[in-house]
Amino acid sequence: MPADKRAEAWTEIVLRVLKANEVRLVAYVPDNVLAPLISMLHADPYFTVICPAREEEAVAIVSGAYLGGLRGIVLMQTSGFATITNALASLVCPFQIPLLMMISERGTLGDFQLLQAIVCRTMRPVLETLGIEHFSIQRLDDVEFVVDRMVKQAFWTQAPAAMILSPLLTKKDNLDGISHG
Amino acid sequence: MASLMADSASRAAAKIMNRSDLTRRLVAKLGAAEAVIAGIGNCNFDLWASGQRPQNFYMLGSMGLALPIALGVALAQPQRKVFALEGDGSLLMQLGALGTVAAASQRNLAIIVWDNGIYQITGGQKTLTSSGTDLVAIARGAGLANSAWASDEEHFETLVNRALAGDGPWFIAARIDGEKPAGTTERDAAKIRLQFMQGLGASAAVQKVPG
């Protein structure tokens, strides 16, 4: 299918919406689902992309950048989110830092690993306990509206936001792309 | 000469100094152009006690994250020299951050670590540096070539002067005693953030949402 006829992929929409909202810094720990977005971000000189050793480092880098006047986002998977509770509870929340998080949801809707499933079940209780705004994006039609609104609300309200990428978005129309990596 | 490889005093040969004294020596050299991010506990407390500057950020929690926070500030404001102050216990929690700084080749970032070999604030339990872990060797191994132990107070000031004058990233380690800090910080996190952002001239730019 010609490029101009096909629907814009979720990765392309996310990249475009981040630019429109002047989110220039990306810090990530890699993940299979996020891999195509990560490649596009690396290839685009608009973005400064940092790949630290741990997710809580990524949280601190993006938080520090906000203090210095630069907007950023942390990309991670569910198991990475499980490692950042202390950074959220003792840095992001009390200092009122509008940290943007994009989390690829592993461990649900057909994951082959029990450990991913167990880790996944910790994510929403932590987000809810800390009072962090979160939304699971399931449909391609919703990507632009949800990402754009959540980014804006984070900065308007001086509060963190977690955009969760459901397998319904990232896997359903891409069954050939399922990887056991 | 930019490299600190010639300054190869070992940890064992470095003089044991005092954190409050060294913090005051550092702050005396700083103006409105330099930012300082200090880690949880005594790093913070001595920075506070050395005279509150709007360009100081006092971490109240999140042990180990002063360095990555400072990296974020340095990325946001590449024209500004940014200092991260950490204790040995905190740095040991987040050694990967040294590699992250090296990979970013963050020229405007300087890391200062106070090493007294103990978790001082929780009762003096030993850290790994008390049994031979050398943080300067780790920093060099992580890719930070400009890493050195301060052999005494005069040498510490020389190293800070170099970090102020030239491109980093810099890593300066100082052995310190177990004396208490000279004060304690306020605990109002939101106020600390607002004052720091205003001190960096960052608040208006980042809070204006396009569209």
Side-chain angles (χ1 to χ4, degrees), chain A residues 95-116:
Chain A
F95 284 92
Q96 299 175 10
I97 292 169
L99 180 80
L100 302 178
M101 295 173 275
M102 184 165 281
I103 306 160
S104 86
E105 188 172 22
R106 306 287 301 269
T108 187
L109 298 176
D111 203 299
F112 71 105
Q113 296 203 77
L114 173 61
L115 57 94
Q116 287 278 11

Side-chain angles (χ1 to χ4, degrees), chain A residues 69-142:
Chain A
L70 175 67
R71 292 185 196 166
I73 187 167
V74 177
L75 311 182
M76 65 195 132
Q77 64 167 276
T78 31
S79 55
F81 180 83
T83 71
I84 65 170
T85 307
N86 186 52
L88 294 174
S90 70
L91 175 66
V92 173
C93 292
F95 284 92
Q96 299 175 10
I97 292 169
L99 180 80
L100 302 178
M101 295 173 275
M102 184 165 281
I103 306 160
S104 86
E105 188 172 22
R106 306 287 301 269
T108 187
L109 298 176
D111 203 299
F112 71 105
Q113 296 203 77
L114 173 61
L115 57 94
Q116 287 278 11
I118 296 170
V119 170
C120 180
R121 287 173 205 136
T122 69
M123 178 170 66
R124 284 177 180 79
V126 170
L127 286 165
E128 281 158 19
T129 301
L130 293 174
I132 293 177
E133 182 79 7
H134 58 95
F135 193 89
S136 173
I137 310 174
Q138 302 180 348
R139 291 166 42 85
L140 188 63
D141 284 353
D142 291 339

Side-chain angles (χ1 to χ4, degrees), chain B residues 8-175:
Chain B
S8 55
S10 68
R11 183 179 188 277
K15 180 182 173 185
I16 294 175
M17 297 174 277
N18 176 266
R19 184 184 50 241
S20 301
D21 174 51
L22 294 182
T23 304
R24 281 193 294 269
R25 289 172 187 259
L26 166 70
V27 170
K29 297 177 184 296
L30 305 181
E34 289 83 28
V36 185
I37 288 80
I40 180 173
N42 293 335
C43 293
N44 252 344
F45 296 160
D46 269 324
L47 181 65
W48 177 274
S50 71
Q52 292 117 58
R53 308 162 59 247
Q55 298 82 17
N56 287 353
F57 184 73
Y58 309 97
M59 268 171 62
L60 302 177
S62 58
M63 183 171 172
L65 296 185
L67 173 49
I69 292 170
L71 174 58
V73 175
L75 283 162
Q77 300 210 353
Q79 80 291 356
R80 185 185 293 280
K81 192 78 76 177
V82 181
F83 285 83
L85 306 184
E86 271 287 36
D88 51 325
S90 289
L91 186 63
L92 285 163
M93 290 185 77
Q94 206 67 241
L95 291 174
L98 296 170
T100 309
V101 170
S105 301
Q106 198 62 38
R107 294 185 302 176
N108 59 326
L109 183 61
I111 304 154
I112 296 178
V113 59
W114 313 125
D115 180 2
N116 57 8
I118 54 172
Y119 296 100
Q120 184 184 354
I121 210 160
T122 56
Q125 302 87 352
K126 288 181 178 178
T127 70
L128 293 172
T129 66
S130 70
S131 53
T133 298
D134 185 321
L135 294 171
V136 168
I138 289 174
R140 285 183 182 159
L144 298 173
N146 289 320
S147 300
W149 284 102
S151 55
D152 57 20
E153 287 85 353
E154 186 183 353
H155 186 222
F156 174 79
E157 294 207 26
T158 301
L159 294 172
V160 171
N161 287 340
R162 282 195 219 172
L164 282 167
D167 285 347
W170 305 89
F171 184 92
I172 301 167
R175 292 194 70 179

